[in-house]
Structure formats: structure tokens, C-alpha cells
């Protein structure tokens, strides 16, 4: 069942490993560091991986654009080394390559919109392959407030709303991960395409500020969006070092209340120091499918959770094929 599904992971931070900051690392080889690389993606059956560009706090705000371009260059440099095995997904035609060949898809995402001071910067990054934008990390920026702002957090700014509209027009998915609640609901009122939350869980099972309330999950489901459930133990259980079974509780809780069409995968591999017991790295992903079978999900539901739901949003959001604006 796992091999027959198109498996999509909505979030990893592996781009930072390309810099060698955690020790020697080669994306095309099995590495001693990190939680994901090309051999482990293949072993785990992943067909499409979102690669986040995360800007560290020390580069914000004034160095955010330069740091983003630096990381985007390393993303393209590494993907270029493995063009026989990887396709960078920029449009629906590239999705077809992922579904119909053995190539693994790589989708470039931005985690935190600090570089987006105006629409022109959004267009430049679109030309460089950007196809998903998380409006905030935990802080406040020009577009919106992150969850770290706390009780005073506001919603989307006028620039934020204009940027969301432009993202939808270009074919860039809008990611509400890390977004403060008021901004979350502002986003749902602004988008014209299904929104995503690339890495979060159910707050009713684990009351972490990064998880989604039932109200948020219901609204996301009603709007055709998807949440990628994350494997980071503090987002899974407040009581213990979380296991795969605890993570499966989140899948069951959300499915029973809001349907399976809102569920996806959002590992956060290489952005977390550890994952739940049983999913230590991406090669262990078939264990999740085994767990979903044990919990009574049907083959059709499991296929949707593993990637079908994210594929539906990708089909709705991405441009049809390469255009003049896809290249510099």
C-alpha cells in the first residue's frame, strides 16, 4: 500500500545540512548526520518532498533576503547534482513527472516571509522556483504575526493580504504554520486557493502553541486545506517522550472529527533534534502506513493521507506549465 501511494512530505529543513554546518553531508549519499537524504527518501518511499528555506533569527530582519538567496542557491546547487534522480516541482507538468517516473520531486518553500518586503521580491523568488510560503515563523513580520507574539498577536497586515492574493495569482501555496490564530482566520478569508499548514498537530491532544485548535482544523477542512502532521515529540504529547502510537492518535482524532481529506504528512525532519519513537528518520516512514492500517483506515484513506490530499492542493494551486516568468 505504501509503495502504491504517492507520498508527499510537506516540510523538512534539510537545506541547512547542505551547508555542512552539522558535519560532512552529501544529499546523494547515506549520511551519518540528519534525518533525510536521497537514499533515505527512496527507502522511505517519499515521492515529493517540500524543502523549507528557514531564516535564522540572527539574520532578521535586515539580512533575511541575503540569507534566503544564499540558501536558495545551495538548494539549486544540490538538486542540480542529482538531476537524474530529482525534479524541482514548479508546475503541474512537473507533478506529472513525479507521478509517472522514478524521480523524486523537490518543492522549494519559504518558512517565514521576512524577505518579502514588496511584491517584486515575491516575483523574484517565484522565478527562482519558490512555490510555497509560510507567512511567519514565530515572530512578527511585515505580513503577519507568528504564534510567538503571544496574546497581543494581530492578523494579516494590508501588505500581508496583498501578498496572499499575489501568491494565489502566481501559483504559490500559502502556508499557515506558525501563524497566530487571528492571522490564521484572516488568511482563510483572503485566500482564493486551498491553504496548507505544513507541520502542526491537534491542540486538543497536545496543547502546544504551534498546534491547531478544533476551530482551526474545522475551518481548514471546510476550505479544502491540508495539515501535515509533524513527528516532533513536544507537538505530539505533553506527558511523555512521544511514540508512533501517540502520533497515530492525532491522525485518528482529526479524521474522526474533521475527515481524512484534511490530513497529510509534515515531518519537520532536520528541523527537529528528534522524532517520535518509531519514525527516527525518513526511511522508517512505512511504519506510519502500517500504523494507519492497524488503526482501521481504508486503503483509499491512507493513500489520501500519505500524499493524495497534498497532491489535490498542489493541482489546485500550481501553474499549469512553465511560463516566461519561470526563468530569469
Amino acid at each position: 500500500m505504501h509503495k502504491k501511494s504517492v507520498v508527499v512530505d510537506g516540510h523538512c529543513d534539510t537545506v541547512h545540512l547542505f551547508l555542512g554546518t552539522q558535519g560532512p553531508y552529501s544529499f546523494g549519499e547515506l549520511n551519518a548526520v540528519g534525518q533525510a537524504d536521497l537514499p533515505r527518501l527512496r527507502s522511505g518511499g517519499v515521492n515529493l518532498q517540500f524543502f523549507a528555506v528557514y531564516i535564522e533569527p540572527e539574520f532578521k530582519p535586515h539580512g533575511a533576503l541575503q540569507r534566503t538567496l544564499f540558501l536558495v542557491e545551495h538548494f539549486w546547487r544540490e538538486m542540480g547534482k542529482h538531476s537524474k534522480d530529482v525534479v524541482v516541482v514548479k508546475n503541474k507538468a512537473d507533478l506529472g513527472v513525479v507521478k509517472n517516473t522514478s524521480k523524486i520531486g523537490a518543492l522549494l518553500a519559504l518558512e517565514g516571509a521576512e524577505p518579502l518586503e514588496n511584491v517584486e521580491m515575491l516575483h523574484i523568488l517565484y522565478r527562482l522556483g519558490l512555490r510555497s510560503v509560510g507567512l511567519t515563523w514565530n515572530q512578527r513580520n511585515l505580513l503577519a504575526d507568528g504564534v510567538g507574539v503571544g496574546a497581543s498577536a494581530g492578523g494579516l497586515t494590508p501588505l500581508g493580504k496583498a501578498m496572499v492574493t499575489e501568491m494565489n495569482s502566481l501559483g504559490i501555496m500559502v502556508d499557515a504554520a506558525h501563524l497566530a490564530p487571528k492571522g490564521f482566520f484572516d488568511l482563510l478569508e483572503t485566500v482564493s486557493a486551498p491553504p496548507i499548514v505544513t507541520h502542526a498537530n491537534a491542540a486538543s491532544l497536545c496543547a502546544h502553541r504551534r498546534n491547531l485548535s478544533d476551530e482551526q482544523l474545522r475551518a481548514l477542512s471546510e476550505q479544502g486545506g491540508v495539515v501535515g502532521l509533524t513527528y516532533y515529540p513536544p507537538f505530539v504529547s505533553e506527558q511523555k517522550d512521544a511514540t508512533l502510537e501517540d502520533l497515530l492518535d492525532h491522525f485518528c482524532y482529526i479524521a474522526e472529527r474533521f475527515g481524512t481529506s484534511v490530513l497529510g504528512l509534515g515531518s519537520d525532519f532536520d528541523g527537529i533534534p528528534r522524532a517520535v519513537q518509531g519514525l527516527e528518520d525518513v526511511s522508517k516512514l512505512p511504519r506510519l502506513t502500517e500504523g494507519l492500517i492497524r488503526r482501521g483506515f481504508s486503503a483509499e484513506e491512507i493513500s489520501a493521507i500519505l500524499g493524495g490530499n497534498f497532491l489535490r492542493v498542489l493541482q489546485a494551486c500550481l501553474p499549469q506549465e512553465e511560463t516566461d516568468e519561470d526563468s530569469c
Side-chain angles (χ1 to χ4, degrees), residues 22-78:
Q22 295 187 26
Y25 176 92
S26 173
F27 179 64
E29 300 175 4
L30 186 63
N31 291 270
V33 300
Q35 295 156 324
D37 48 39
L38 189 54
R40 284 183 283 182
L41 286 167
R42 287 212 180 278
S43 181
V46 174
N47 302 98
L48 173 56
Q49 178 67 60
F50 285 46
F51 286 86
V53 169
Y54 165 67
I55 305 106
E56 306 92 325
E58 60 266 31
F59 294 100
K60 299 175 183 178
H62 302 299
L65 177 59
Q66 183 176 2
R67 183 63 171 176
T68 298
L69 294 174
F70 179 81
L71 292 168
V72 168
E73 165 60 19
H74 278 272
F75 167 81
W76 276 105
R77 188 180 299 180
E78 202 66 29

Side-chain angles (χ1 to χ4, degrees), residues 5-327:
S5 300
V6 178
V7 179
V8 180
D9 183 341
H11 190 87
C12 79
D13 285 286
T14 308
V15 171
H16 281 266
L17 296 185
F18 300 167
L19 311 183
T21 53
Q22 295 187 26
Y25 176 92
S26 173
F27 179 64
E29 300 175 4
L30 186 63
N31 291 270
V33 300
Q35 295 156 324
D37 48 39
L38 189 54
R40 284 183 283 182
L41 286 167
R42 287 212 180 278
S43 181
V46 174
N47 302 98
L48 173 56
Q49 178 67 60
F50 285 46
F51 286 86
V53 169
Y54 165 67
I55 305 106
E56 306 92 325
E58 60 266 31
F59 294 100
K60 299 175 183 178
H62 302 299
L65 177 59
Q66 183 176 2
R67 183 63 171 176
T68 298
L69 294 174
F70 179 81
L71 292 168
V72 168
E73 165 60 19
H74 278 272
F75 167 81
W76 276 105
R77 188 180 299 180
E78 202 66 29
M79 296 304 111
K81 294 176 186 176
H82 306 288
S83 57
K84 291 182 179 179
D85 298 296
V86 178
V87 56
V88 177
V89 173
K90 297 187 290 182
N91 50 55
K92 292 182 177 70
D94 296 328
L95 275 184
V97 174
V98 172
K99 290 188 286 187
N100 298 315
T101 75
S102 63
K103 286 191 174 186
I104 291 175
L107 189 139
L108 183 61
L110 179 63
E111 186 172 16
E114 282 76 13
L116 303 179
E117 297 184 0
N118 50 59
V119 168
E120 286 77 10
M121 289 302 166
L122 179 66
H123 279 253
I124 290 169
L125 290 171
Y126 175 85
R127 289 178 186 270
L128 295 177
L130 183 68
R131 292 299 182 269
S132 176
V133 172
L135 298 185
T136 68
W137 191 60
N138 290 333
Q139 307 110 335
R140 171 176 291 154
N141 61 35
L142 294 176
L143 273 58
D145 287 353
V147 294
V149 176
S152 65
L156 267 61
T157 65
L159 177 61
K161 292 178 180 179
M163 283 287 195
V164 166
T165 299
E166 193 69 12
M167 289 173 201
N168 286 158
S169 175
L170 284 170
I172 296 174
M173 289 172 291
V174 187
D175 179 9
H178 292 274
L179 193 59
K182 190 174 188 308
F184 178 94
F185 290 105
D186 280 354
L187 172 62
L188 265 59
E189 290 181 0
T190 306
V191 290
S192 59
I196 56 176
V197 181
T198 53
H199 52 306
N201 292 337
S204 289
L205 296 187
C206 181
H208 194 285
R209 68 184 186 183
R210 281 273 290 100
N211 286 339
L212 300 181
S213 68
D214 283 4
E215 185 183 8
Q216 289 175 300
L217 288 166
R218 182 177 295 106
L220 185 67
S221 177
E222 290 174 351
Q223 205 144 333
V226 177
V227 55
L229 298 197
T230 183
Y231 317 157
Y232 187 38
F235 292 7
V236 177
S237 175
E238 302 170 58
Q239 307 301 325
K240 54 188 175 180
D241 200 8
T243 67
L244 173 57
E245 293 304 316
D246 296 315
L247 177 61
L248 289 167
D249 289 343
H250 285 261
F251 281 97
C252 292
Y253 178 88
I254 294 171
E256 289 168 1
R257 288 159 179 79
F258 314 111
T260 55
S261 64
V262 74
L263 285 167
L265 310 181
S267 67
D268 207 3
F269 279 142
D270 294 326
I272 53 178
R274 68 191 189 284
V276 297
Q277 296 173 32
L279 290 178
E280 289 80 8
D281 65 33
V282 68
S283 69
K284 309 298 193 301
L285 192 54
R287 295 177 180 174
L288 176 60
T289 301
E290 292 173 353
L292 293 170
I293 293 171
R294 286 198 309 273
R295 293 297 184 98
F297 288 90
S298 70
E300 183 179 1
E301 289 171 331
I302 291 172
S303 180
I305 291 168
L306 291 178
N309 292 330
F310 262 124
L311 285 175
R312 168 176 49 79
V313 176
L314 285 158
Q315 287 285 358
C317 293
L318 290 179
Q320 186 65 39
E321 56 190 6
E322 189 167 349
T323 65
D324 291 341
E325 194 164 7
D326 283 332
S327 58

